Amino acid sequence: MSLWGGRFSEEPADAVFALSRSVNFDWRLAPYDLRSSLAHLAVLESSGLLTPEVSAKIRAALLELTHEVATGAFRYNESDEDVHSALERGLTEKLGEIGGSLRAGRSRNDQVATDLRLYAMDAMLATAEKIIHLQQALVAKAEEYSDAPAVGFTHMQHAQPVLFGHELAKHVHALNRDLDRIDDWFIRTSVSPLGSGALAGSSLPLSPEATATALGFKKSAGNSIDGVSDRDFVAEALFIISMVGVHLSRIGEEWCIWATTEFGWAKVSDSYSTGSSIMPQKKNPDMAELARGKAGRLVGNLTGVLTMLKGLPFAYNRDLQEDKEPLFDSFDTLALVLPAVAGMVATTEFDRDKMAASAPTGYSLATEIADFLVRAHIPFAMAHEAAGKCVALAEKNQIELHEISDAQFTAIHPSLTPEIRGVLTVEGALNSRTTYGGTAPAALGRQLAILKSEVSAFEANFSAKSKAFSGMMSA
Ligand code: ARG
């Protein structure tokens, strides 16, 4: 039964029903729809619009339906249009006419906006938890390799030696920013549209503030037209997810490179690799590749929703129904990728010898020569020039920088005294990078301690939010 048949003399054409129908994908909003119905019911009762007896019957039926939806005993059928109509059918089947009472003062426009916010908050909390698990895996690996030197890259060329733990820890910072964005997103998403009605609010004595509080929202929408049309929280969520996806794609790319035969740094565990159907020797880092590849899909979902919202007239338009599938898909995608990447990170072993051997190669210590001259008060431009000449000499003779003789050094620049050998080691280069956020062992130790406390703070913050949310859902 449709929710709007009164003024129509004909049933909708099949094609109309087929295109309008959203229940096949919006059914996952059912628990949130039922929960917000309970909050709406409480307001209808306290304002005297429903008698306590009728209210009690509807409440019992809503709770029963909530249970049946959770167990799968109640599901949508072929003639239901969307989650809202399917649940009203469920209620009417139990209660007869009074099952339709809840529609008073409420429209599917404020209902769907409320449901979607609740769903998004729930899904975002689950996402935050998975991000934190990945961070914990990265921090543990960073600690394991906090004393392992490796060459670091810019432009994919050997640049300067770094500790490999420093290399791994950088990803935790990126994910911290994502968690920060999620925290901030909650401020704008925790606004209840319930009570906005179709677009103009309600003439009935409702209390949008009371339903907002009951549903755990920080406040109620300040403008009913904005209340039913605001989908910023969807776009923002899709951006946050895309950013996480982009971060995962960069982790994936690194893992792919490190696992090549040419690099030979990463030994991805068998349980996080796949084989080839034709080449028996192959062990492929497919998890890393999928992490890289899925980012495209996430950005696509963001782009689709922003394009749908662009120029959209205010209040409700059916275009808005297109907000759900991309949002669901993005959350679902991350829910698959995050644990796979966390598992891959936790189980990968790195070849310390190969990484250490790479650390001084490709003239990665050339900056040490320039810095040595700067400490001897030579202007950096000249120091850079002299260090460049050392590289040219070494390259011409196919030797490493430390193999240049004392005489050759002083011929390039008189201040290049034999003391230069003190800095021409990986250890010397690493130990000297003591600035905040630098790669020196002591600086890395401090960095990892800070990261650990930041990750635990996020963990405490989001688990408190999750507890409050599940408390609200089961109230
Ligand atoms: N299925 C619709 C959606 O997802 C629900 C709201 C429909 N409202 C309306 N006035 N047709 O947006």
Side-chain angles (χ1 to χ4, degrees), residues 125-149:
L125 288 169
T127 304
E129 195 185 349
K130 291 187 174 72
I131 293 174
I132 290 167
H133 288 157
L134 170 58
Q135 287 184 307
Q136 287 163 339
L138 283 163
V139 169
K141 271 293 144 186
E143 280 189 314
E144 190 180 337
Y145 292 94
S146 60
D147 58 349

mmCIF file with all atom_site columns, all heavy atoms in Angstrom, residues 125-149:
data_model
loop_
_atom_site.group_PDB
_atom_site.id
_atom_site.type_symbol
_atom_site.label_atom_id
_atom_site.label_alt_id
_atom_site.label_comp_id
_atom_site.label_asym_id
_atom_site.label_entity_id
_atom_site.label_seq_id
_atom_site.pdbx_PDB_ins_code
_atom_site.Cartn_x
_atom_site.Cartn_y
_atom_site.Cartn_z
_atom_site.occupancy
_atom_site.B_iso_or_equiv
_atom_site.pdbx_formal_charge
_atom_site.auth_seq_id
_atom_site.auth_comp_id
_atom_site.auth_asym_id
_atom_site.auth_atom_id
_atom_site.pdbx_PDB_model_num
ATOM 1   N N   . LEU A 1 125 ? 31.197 5.488  13.465 1.00 0.00 ? 125 LEU A N   1
ATOM 2   C CA  . LEU A 1 125 ? 31.839 4.997  14.696 1.00 0.00 ? 125 LEU A CA  1
ATOM 3   C C   . LEU A 1 125 ? 32.532 3.654  14.436 1.00 0.00 ? 125 LEU A C   1
ATOM 4   O O   . LEU A 1 125 ? 33.640 3.409  14.919 1.00 0.00 ? 125 LEU A O   1
ATOM 5   C CB  . LEU A 1 125 ? 30.805 4.874  15.818 1.00 0.00 ? 125 LEU A CB  1
ATOM 6   C CG  . LEU A 1 125 ? 30.338 6.234  16.379 1.00 0.00 ? 125 LEU A CG  1
ATOM 7   C CD1 . LEU A 1 125 ? 29.123 6.069  17.280 1.00 0.00 ? 125 LEU A CD1 1
ATOM 8   C CD2 . LEU A 1 125 ? 31.471 6.938  17.126 1.00 0.00 ? 125 LEU A CD2 1
ATOM 9   N N   . ALA A 1 126 ? 31.874 2.807  13.648 1.00 0.00 ? 126 ALA A N   1
ATOM 10  C CA  . ALA A 1 126 ? 32.490 1.514  13.308 1.00 0.00 ? 126 ALA A CA  1
ATOM 11  C C   . ALA A 1 126 ? 33.751 1.743  12.467 1.00 0.00 ? 126 ALA A C   1
ATOM 12  O O   . ALA A 1 126 ? 34.760 1.031  12.621 1.00 0.00 ? 126 ALA A O   1
ATOM 13  C CB  . ALA A 1 126 ? 31.488 0.649  12.550 1.00 0.00 ? 126 ALA A CB  1
ATOM 14  N N   . THR A 1 127 ? 33.689 2.739  11.593 1.00 0.00 ? 127 THR A N   1
ATOM 15  C CA  . THR A 1 127 ? 34.845 3.062  10.750 1.00 0.00 ? 127 THR A CA  1
ATOM 16  C C   . THR A 1 127 ? 36.014 3.547  11.612 1.00 0.00 ? 127 THR A C   1
ATOM 17  O O   . THR A 1 127 ? 37.165 3.124  11.427 1.00 0.00 ? 127 THR A O   1
ATOM 18  C CB  . THR A 1 127 ? 34.471 4.160  9.725  1.00 0.00 ? 127 THR A CB  1
ATOM 19  O OG1 . THR A 1 127 ? 33.348 3.698  8.978  1.00 0.00 ? 127 THR A OG1 1
ATOM 20  C CG2 . THR A 1 127 ? 35.615 4.467  8.786  1.00 0.00 ? 127 THR A CG2 1
ATOM 21  N N   . ALA A 1 128 ? 35.704 4.452  12.561 1.00 0.00 ? 128 ALA A N   1
ATOM 22  C CA  . ALA A 1 128 ? 36.753 5.001  13.427 1.00 0.00 ? 128 ALA A CA  1
ATOM 23  C C   . ALA A 1 128 ? 37.456 3.868  14.177 1.00 0.00 ? 128 ALA A C   1
ATOM 24  O O   . ALA A 1 128 ? 38.683 3.848  14.296 1.00 0.00 ? 128 ALA A O   1
ATOM 25  C CB  . ALA A 1 128 ? 36.158 6.013  14.402 1.00 0.00 ? 128 ALA A CB  1
ATOM 26  N N   . GLU A 1 129 ? 36.664 2.921  14.630 1.00 0.00 ? 129 GLU A N   1
ATOM 27  C CA  . GLU A 1 129 ? 37.250 1.797  15.377 1.00 0.00 ? 129 GLU A CA  1
ATOM 28  C C   . GLU A 1 129 ? 38.231 1.010  14.493 1.00 0.00 ? 129 GLU A C   1
ATOM 29  O O   . GLU A 1 129 ? 39.323 0.629  14.933 1.00 0.00 ? 129 GLU A O   1
ATOM 30  C CB  . GLU A 1 129 ? 36.112 0.892  15.860 1.00 0.00 ? 129 GLU A CB  1
ATOM 31  C CG  . GLU A 1 129 ? 36.524 -0.069 16.923 1.00 0.00 ? 129 GLU A CG  1
ATOM 32  C CD  . GLU A 1 129 ? 35.388 -1.039 17.290 1.00 0.00 ? 129 GLU A CD  1
ATOM 33  O OE1 . GLU A 1 129 ? 34.237 -0.807 16.847 1.00 0.00 ? 129 GLU A OE1 1
ATOM 34  O OE2 . GLU A 1 129 ? 35.660 -2.010 17.991 1.00 0.00 ? 129 GLU A OE2 1
ATOM 35  N N   . LYS A 1 130 ? 37.846 0.815  13.239 1.00 0.00 ? 130 LYS A N   1
ATOM 36  C CA  . LYS A 1 130 ? 38.723 0.068  12.317 1.00 0.00 ? 130 LYS A CA  1
ATOM 37  C C   . LYS A 1 130 ? 39.970 0.864  11.965 1.00 0.00 ? 130 LYS A C   1
ATOM 38  O O   . LYS A 1 130 ? 41.046 0.296  11.788 1.00 0.00 ? 130 LYS A O   1
ATOM 39  C CB  . LYS A 1 130 ? 37.950 -0.309 11.055 1.00 0.00 ? 130 LYS A CB  1
ATOM 40  C CG  . LYS A 1 130 ? 36.870 -1.345 11.312 1.00 0.00 ? 130 LYS A CG  1
ATOM 41  C CD  . LYS A 1 130 ? 36.245 -1.831 10.007 1.00 0.00 ? 130 LYS A CD  1
ATOM 42  C CE  . LYS A 1 130 ? 35.273 -2.957 10.258 1.00 0.00 ? 130 LYS A CE  1
ATOM 43  N NZ  . LYS A 1 130 ? 34.027 -2.498 10.898 1.00 0.00 ? 130 LYS A NZ  1
ATOM 44  N N   . ILE A 1 131 ? 39.817 2.183  11.856 1.00 0.00 ? 131 ILE A N   1
ATOM 45  C CA  . ILE A 1 131 ? 40.997 3.017  11.579 1.00 0.00 ? 131 ILE A CA  1
ATOM 46  C C   . ILE A 1 131 ? 41.978 2.885  12.746 1.00 0.00 ? 131 ILE A C   1
ATOM 47  O O   . ILE A 1 131 ? 43.193 2.753  12.554 1.00 0.00 ? 131 ILE A O   1
ATOM 48  C CB  . ILE A 1 131 ? 40.596 4.499  11.377 1.00 0.00 ? 131 ILE A CB  1
ATOM 49  C CG1 . ILE A 1 131 ? 39.771 4.659  10.099 1.00 0.00 ? 131 ILE A CG1 1
ATOM 50  C CG2 . ILE A 1 131 ? 41.833 5.411  11.322 1.00 0.00 ? 131 ILE A CG2 1
ATOM 51  C CD1 . ILE A 1 131 ? 39.191 6.060  9.883  1.00 0.00 ? 131 ILE A CD1 1
ATOM 52  N N   . ILE A 1 132 ? 41.441 2.907  13.963 1.00 0.00 ? 132 ILE A N   1
ATOM 53  C CA  . ILE A 1 132 ? 42.293 2.805  15.153 1.00 0.00 ? 132 ILE A CA  1
ATOM 54  C C   . ILE A 1 132 ? 43.026 1.454  15.178 1.00 0.00 ? 132 ILE A C   1
ATOM 55  O O   . ILE A 1 132 ? 44.211 1.382  15.486 1.00 0.00 ? 132 ILE A O   1
ATOM 56  C CB  . ILE A 1 132 ? 41.460 3.054  16.432 1.00 0.00 ? 132 ILE A CB  1
ATOM 57  C CG1 . ILE A 1 132 ? 41.054 4.543  16.481 1.00 0.00 ? 132 ILE A CG1 1
ATOM 58  C CG2 . ILE A 1 132 ? 42.233 2.661  17.692 1.00 0.00 ? 132 ILE A CG2 1
ATOM 59  C CD1 . ILE A 1 132 ? 39.992 4.895  17.504 1.00 0.00 ? 132 ILE A CD1 1
ATOM 60  N N   . HIS A 1 133 ? 42.349 0.390  14.789 1.00 0.00 ? 133 HIS A N   1
ATOM 61  C CA  . HIS A 1 133 ? 43.027 -0.917 14.732 1.00 0.00 ? 133 HIS A CA  1
ATOM 62  C C   . HIS A 1 133 ? 44.198 -0.890 13.744 1.00 0.00 ? 133 HIS A C   1
ATOM 63  O O   . HIS A 1 133 ? 45.262 -1.456 14.011 1.00 0.00 ? 133 HIS A O   1
ATOM 64  C CB  . HIS A 1 133 ? 42.047 -2.026 14.349 1.00 0.00 ? 133 HIS A CB  1
ATOM 65  C CG  . HIS A 1 133 ? 41.092 -2.346 15.463 1.00 0.00 ? 133 HIS A CG  1
ATOM 66  N ND1 . HIS A 1 133 ? 39.872 -2.931 15.259 1.00 0.00 ? 133 HIS A ND1 1
ATOM 67  C CD2 . HIS A 1 133 ? 41.184 -2.115 16.793 1.00 0.00 ? 133 HIS A CD2 1
ATOM 68  C CE1 . HIS A 1 133 ? 39.251 -3.061 16.426 1.00 0.00 ? 133 HIS A CE1 1
ATOM 69  N NE2 . HIS A 1 133 ? 40.036 -2.569 17.371 1.00 0.00 ? 133 HIS A NE2 1
ATOM 70  N N   . LEU A 1 134 ? 43.979 -0.239 12.619 1.00 0.00 ? 134 LEU A N   1
ATOM 71  C CA  . LEU A 1 134 ? 45.069 -0.129 11.646 1.00 0.00 ? 134 LEU A CA  1
ATOM 72  C C   . LEU A 1 134 ? 46.215 0.695  12.231 1.00 0.00 ? 134 LEU A C   1
ATOM 73  O O   . LEU A 1 134 ? 47.391 0.338  12.079 1.00 0.00 ? 134 LEU A O   1
ATOM 74  C CB  . LEU A 1 134 ? 44.550 0.502  10.338 1.00 0.00 ? 134 LEU A CB  1
ATOM 75  C CG  . LEU A 1 134 ? 45.629 0.894  9.317  1.00 0.00 ? 134 LEU A CG  1
ATOM 76  C CD1 . LEU A 1 134 ? 46.479 -0.306 8.909  1.00 0.00 ? 134 LEU A CD1 1
ATOM 77  C CD2 . LEU A 1 134 ? 44.997 1.533  8.074  1.00 0.00 ? 134 LEU A CD2 1
ATOM 78  N N   . GLN A 1 135 ? 45.867 1.769  12.923 1.00 0.00 ? 135 GLN A N   1
ATOM 79  C CA  . GLN A 1 135 ? 46.924 2.590  13.538 1.00 0.00 ? 135 GLN A CA  1
ATOM 80  C C   . GLN A 1 135 ? 47.733 1.768  14.535 1.00 0.00 ? 135 GLN A C   1
ATOM 81  O O   . GLN A 1 135 ? 48.956 1.882  14.598 1.00 0.00 ? 135 GLN A O   1
ATOM 82  C CB  . GLN A 1 135 ? 46.307 3.786  14.273 1.00 0.00 ? 135 GLN A CB  1
ATOM 83  C CG  . GLN A 1 135 ? 45.774 4.858  13.333 1.00 0.00 ? 135 GLN A CG  1
ATOM 84  C CD  . GLN A 1 135 ? 45.272 6.050  14.132 1.00 0.00 ? 135 GLN A CD  1
ATOM 85  O OE1 . GLN A 1 135 ? 44.458 5.894  15.032 1.00 0.00 ? 135 GLN A OE1 1
ATOM 86  N NE2 . GLN A 1 135 ? 45.736 7.229  13.802 1.00 0.00 ? 135 GLN A NE2 1
ATOM 87  N N   . GLN A 1 136 ? 47.028 0.961  15.308 1.00 0.00 ? 136 GLN A N   1
ATOM 88  C CA  . GLN A 1 136 ? 47.734 0.156  16.317 1.00 0.00 ? 136 GLN A CA  1
ATOM 89  C C   . GLN A 1 136 ? 48.705 -0.819 15.640 1.00 0.00 ? 136 GLN A C   1
ATOM 90  O O   . GLN A 1 136 ? 49.822 -1.019 16.114 1.00 0.00 ? 136 GLN A O   1
ATOM 91  C CB  . GLN A 1 136 ? 46.721 -0.559 17.219 1.00 0.00 ? 136 GLN A CB  1
ATOM 92  C CG  . GLN A 1 136 ? 46.060 0.444  18.177 1.00 0.00 ? 136 GLN A CG  1
ATOM 93  C CD  . GLN A 1 136 ? 44.772 -0.062 18.833 1.00 0.00 ? 136 GLN A CD  1
ATOM 94  O OE1 . GLN A 1 136 ? 44.138 -0.991 18.317 1.00 0.00 ? 136 GLN A OE1 1
ATOM 95  N NE2 . GLN A 1 136 ? 44.383 0.553  19.940 1.00 0.00 ? 136 GLN A NE2 1
ATOM 96  N N   . ALA A 1 137 ? 48.264 -1.385 14.505 1.00 0.00 ? 137 ALA A N   1
ATOM 97  C CA  . ALA A 1 137 ? 49.154 -2.295 13.765 1.00 0.00 ? 137 ALA A CA  1
ATOM 98  C C   . ALA A 1 137 ? 50.367 -1.531 13.239 1.00 0.00 ? 137 ALA A C   1
ATOM 99  O O   . ALA A 1 137 ? 51.503 -2.035 13.276 1.00 0.00 ? 137 ALA A O   1
ATOM 100 C CB  . ALA A 1 137 ? 48.395 -2.957 12.616 1.00 0.00 ? 137 ALA A CB  1
ATOM 101 N N   . LEU A 1 138 ? 50.136 -0.317 12.751 1.00 0.00 ? 138 LEU A N   1
ATOM 102 C CA  . LEU A 1 138 ? 51.241 0.481  12.202 1.00 0.00 ? 138 LEU A CA  1
ATOM 103 C C   . LEU A 1 138 ? 52.218 0.910  13.294 1.00 0.00 ? 138 LEU A C   1
ATOM 104 O O   . LEU A 1 138 ? 53.438 0.872  13.102 1.00 0.00 ? 138 LEU A O   1
ATOM 105 C CB  . LEU A 1 138 ? 50.691 1.726  11.486 1.00 0.00 ? 138 LEU A CB  1
ATOM 106 C CG  . LEU A 1 138 ? 50.080 1.492  10.097 1.00 0.00 ? 138 LEU A CG  1
ATOM 107 C CD1 . LEU A 1 138 ? 49.210 2.675  9.681  1.00 0.00 ? 138 LEU A CD1 1
ATOM 108 C CD2 . LEU A 1 138 ? 51.159 1.248  9.045  1.00 0.00 ? 138 LEU A CD2 1
ATOM 109 N N   . VAL A 1 139 ? 51.676 1.311  14.453 1.00 0.00 ? 139 VAL A N   1
ATOM 110 C CA  . VAL A 1 139 ? 52.549 1.733  15.553 1.00 0.00 ? 139 VAL A CA  1
ATOM 111 C C   . VAL A 1 139 ? 53.404 0.546  16.006 1.00 0.00 ? 139 VAL A C   1
ATOM 112 O O   . VAL A 1 139 ? 54.619 0.679  16.224 1.00 0.00 ? 139 VAL A O   1
ATOM 113 C CB  . VAL A 1 139 ? 51.734 2.313  16.743 1.00 0.00 ? 139 VAL A CB  1
ATOM 114 C CG1 . VAL A 1 139 ? 52.612 2.486  17.966 1.00 0.00 ? 139 VAL A CG1 1
ATOM 115 C CG2 . VAL A 1 139 ? 51.109 3.656  16.358 1.00 0.00 ? 139 VAL A CG2 1
ATOM 116 N N   . ALA A 1 140 ? 52.801 -0.623 16.111 1.00 0.00 ? 140 ALA A N   1
ATOM 117 C CA  . ALA A 1 140 ? 53.552 -1.810 16.555 1.00 0.00 ? 140 ALA A CA  1
ATOM 118 C C   . ALA A 1 140 ? 54.681 -2.134 15.564 1.00 0.00 ? 140 ALA A C   1
ATOM 119 O O   . ALA A 1 140 ? 55.808 -2.440 15.965 1.00 0.00 ? 140 ALA A O   1
ATOM 120 C CB  . ALA A 1 140 ? 52.606 -2.993 16.707 1.00 0.00 ? 140 ALA A CB  1
ATOM 121 N N   . LYS A 1 141 ? 54.375 -2.038 14.259 1.00 0.00 ? 141 LYS A N   1
ATOM 122 C CA  . LYS A 1 141 ? 55.421 -2.300 13.246 1.00 0.00 ? 141 LYS A CA  1
ATOM 123 C C   . LYS A 1 141 ? 56.497 -1.221 13.312 1.00 0.00 ? 141 LYS A C   1
ATOM 124 O O   . LYS A 1 141 ? 57.694 -1.508 13.172 1.00 0.00 ? 141 LYS A O   1
ATOM 125 C CB  . LYS A 1 141 ? 54.826 -2.301 11.836 1.00 0.00 ? 141 LYS A CB  1
ATOM 126 C CG  . LYS A 1 141 ? 54.323 -3.626 11.338 1.00 0.00 ? 141 LYS A CG  1
ATOM 127 C CD  . LYS A 1 141 ? 55.417 -4.647 11.113 1.00 0.00 ? 141 LYS A CD  1
ATOM 128 C CE  . LYS A 1 141 ? 54.839 -5.998 11.497 1.00 0.00 ? 141 LYS A CE  1
ATOM 129 N NZ  . LYS A 1 141 ? 55.740 -7.108 11.491 1.00 0.00 ? 141 LYS A NZ  1
ATOM 130 N N   . ALA A 1 142 ? 56.065 0.013  13.518 1.00 0.00 ? 142 ALA A N   1
ATOM 131 C CA  . ALA A 1 142 ? 57.037 1.117  13.581 1.00 0.00 ? 142 ALA A CA  1
ATOM 132 C C   . ALA A 1 142 ? 57.982 0.896  14.756 1.00 0.00 ? 142 ALA A C   1
ATOM 133 O O   . ALA A 1 142 ? 59.186 1.143  14.652 1.00 0.00 ? 142 ALA A O   1
ATOM 134 C CB  . ALA A 1 142 ? 56.312 2.451  13.704 1.00 0.00 ? 142 ALA A CB  1
ATOM 135 N N   . GLU A 1 143 ? 57.433 0.411  15.861 1.00 0.00 ? 143 GLU A N   1
ATOM 136 C CA  . GLU A 1 143 ? 58.293 0.145  17.027 1.00 0.00 ? 143 GLU A CA  1
ATOM 137 C C   . GLU A 1 143 ? 59.264 -0.990 16.721 1.00 0.00 ? 143 GLU A C   1
ATOM 138 O O   . GLU A 1 143 ? 60.442 -0.930 17.059 1.00 0.00 ? 143 GLU A O   1
ATOM 139 C CB  . GLU A 1 143 ? 57.427 -0.216 18.235 1.00 0.00 ? 143 GLU A CB  1
ATOM 140 C CG  . GLU A 1 143 ? 56.853 1.024  18.879 1.00 0.00 ? 143 GLU A CG  1
ATOM 141 C CD  . GLU A 1 143 ? 56.164 0.730  20.195 1.00 0.00 ? 143 GLU A CD  1
ATOM 142 O OE1 . GLU A 1 143 ? 55.383 -0.255 20.237 1.00 0.00 ? 143 GLU A OE1 1
ATOM 143 O OE2 . GLU A 1 143 ? 56.389 1.489  21.152 1.00 0.00 ? 143 GLU A OE2 1
ATOM 144 N N   . GLU A 1 144 ? 58.733 -2.026 16.059 1.00 0.00 ? 144 GLU A N   1
ATOM 145 C CA  . GLU A 1 144 ? 59.568 -3.183 15.736 1.00 0.00 ? 144 GLU A CA  1
ATOM 146 C C   . GLU A 1 144 ? 60.767 -2.763 14.876 1.00 0.00 ? 144 GLU A C   1
ATOM 147 O O   . GLU A 1 144 ? 61.861 -3.299 15.021 1.00 0.00 ? 144 GLU A O   1
ATOM 148 C CB  . GLU A 1 144 ? 58.696 -4.223 15.001 1.00 0.00 ? 144 GLU A CB  1
ATOM 149 C CG  . GLU A 1 144 ? 59.338 -5.570 14.805 1.00 0.00 ? 144 GLU A CG  1
ATOM 150 C CD  . GLU A 1 144 ? 58.399 -6.536 14.057 1.00 0.00 ? 144 GLU A CD  1
ATOM 151 O OE1 . GLU A 1 144 ? 57.157 -6.337 14.072 1.00 0.00 ? 144 GLU A OE1 1
ATOM 152 O OE2 . GLU A 1 144 ? 58.921 -7.482 13.438 1.00 0.00 ? 144 GLU A OE2 1
ATOM 153 N N   . TYR A 1 145 ? 60.540 -1.801 13.975 1.00 0.00 ? 145 TYR A N   1
ATOM 154 C CA  . TYR A 1 145 ? 61.612 -1.377 13.064 1.00 0.00 ? 145 TYR A CA  1
ATOM 155 C C   . TYR A 1 145 ? 62.126 0.020  13.393 1.00 0.00 ? 145 TYR A C   1
ATOM 156 O O   . TYR A 1 145 ? 62.612 0.728  12.528 1.00 0.00 ? 145 TYR A O   1
ATOM 157 C CB  . TYR A 1 145 ? 61.120 -1.469 11.613 1.00 0.00 ? 145 TYR A CB  1
ATOM 158 C CG  . TYR A 1 145 ? 60.901 -2.908 11.217 1.00 0.00 ? 145 TYR A CG  1
ATOM 159 C CD1 . TYR A 1 145 ? 59.631 -3.496 11.331 1.00 0.00 ? 145 TYR A CD1 1
ATOM 160 C CD2 . TYR A 1 145 ? 61.965 -3.703 10.799 1.00 0.00 ? 145 TYR A CD2 1
ATOM 161 C CE1 . TYR A 1 145 ? 59.432 -4.836 11.024 1.00 0.00 ? 145 TYR A CE1 1
ATOM 162 C CE2 . TYR A 1 145 ? 61.773 -5.039 10.480 1.00 0.00 ? 145 TYR A CE2 1
ATOM 163 C CZ  . TYR A 1 145 ? 60.507 -5.601 10.599 1.00 0.00 ? 145 TYR A CZ  1
ATOM 164 O OH  . TYR A 1 145 ? 60.330 -6.919 10.287 1.00 0.00 ? 145 TYR A OH  1
ATOM 165 N N   . SER A 1 146 ? 62.052 0.383  14.694 1.00 0.00 ? 146 SER A N   1
ATOM 166 C CA  . SER A 1 146 ? 62.460 1.747  15.062 1.00 0.00 ? 146 SER A CA  1
ATOM 167 C C   . SER A 1 146 ? 63.985 1.896  15.068 1.00 0.00 ? 146 SER A C   1
ATOM 168 O O   . SER A 1 146 ? 64.500 2.996  15.170 1.00 0.00 ? 146 SER A O   1
ATOM 169 C CB  . SER A 1 146 ? 61.885 2.128  16.421 1.00 0.00 ? 146 SER A CB  1
ATOM 170 O OG  . SER A 1 146 ? 62.369 1.224  17.390 1.00 0.00 ? 146 SER A OG  1
ATOM 171 N N   . ASP A 1 147 ? 64.703 0.770  14.947 1.00 0.00 ? 147 ASP A N   1
ATOM 172 C CA  . ASP A 1 147 ? 66.167 0.876  14.913 1.00 0.00 ? 147 ASP A CA  1
ATOM 173 C C   . ASP A 1 147 ? 66.719 0.432  13.553 1.00 0.00 ? 147 ASP A C   1
ATOM 174 O O   . ASP A 1 147 ? 67.915 0.222  13.408 1.00 0.00 ? 147 ASP A O   1
ATOM 175 C CB  . ASP A 1 147 ? 66.769 -0.002 16.029 1.00 0.00 ? 147 ASP A CB  1
ATOM 176 C CG  . ASP A 1 147 ? 66.344 -1.459 15.891 1.00 0.00 ? 147 ASP A CG  1
ATOM 177 O OD1 . ASP A 1 147 ? 65.419 -1.748 15.074 1.00 0.00 ? 147 ASP A OD1 1
ATOM 178 O OD2 . ASP A 1 147 ? 66.920 -2.325 16.575 1.00 0.00 ? 147 ASP A OD2 1
ATOM 179 N N   . ALA A 1 148 ? 65.813 0.282  12.561 1.00 0.00 ? 148 ALA A N   1
ATOM 180 C CA  . ALA A 1 148 ? 66.252 -0.247 11.266 1.00 0.00 ? 148 ALA A CA  1
ATOM 181 C C   . ALA A 1 148 ? 66.429 0.872  10.241 1.00 0.00 ? 148 ALA A C   1
ATOM 182 O O   . ALA A 1 148 ? 65.450 1.485  9.831  1.00 0.00 ? 148 ALA A O   1
ATOM 183 C CB  . ALA A 1 148 ? 65.236 -1.275 10.751 1.00 0.00 ? 148 ALA A CB  1
ATOM 184 N N   . PRO A 1 149 ? 67.683 1.137  9.827  1.00 0.00 ? 149 PRO A N   1
ATOM 185 C CA  . PRO A 1 149 ? 67.866 2.179  8.818  1.00 0.00 ? 149 PRO A CA  1
ATOM 186 C C   . PRO A 1 149 ? 67.465 1.693  7.427  1.00 0.00 ? 149 PRO A C   1
ATOM 187 O O   . PRO A 1 149 ? 67.556 0.499  7.126  1.00 0.00 ? 149 PRO A O   1
ATOM 188 C CB  . PRO A 1 149 ? 69.359 2.478  8.860  1.00 0.00 ? 149 PRO A CB  1
ATOM 189 C CG  . PRO A 1 149 ? 69.996 1.351  9.591  1.00 0.00 ? 149 PRO A CG  1
ATOM 190 C CD  . PRO A 1 149 ? 68.947 0.548  10.284 1.00 0.00 ? 149 PRO A CD  1
#
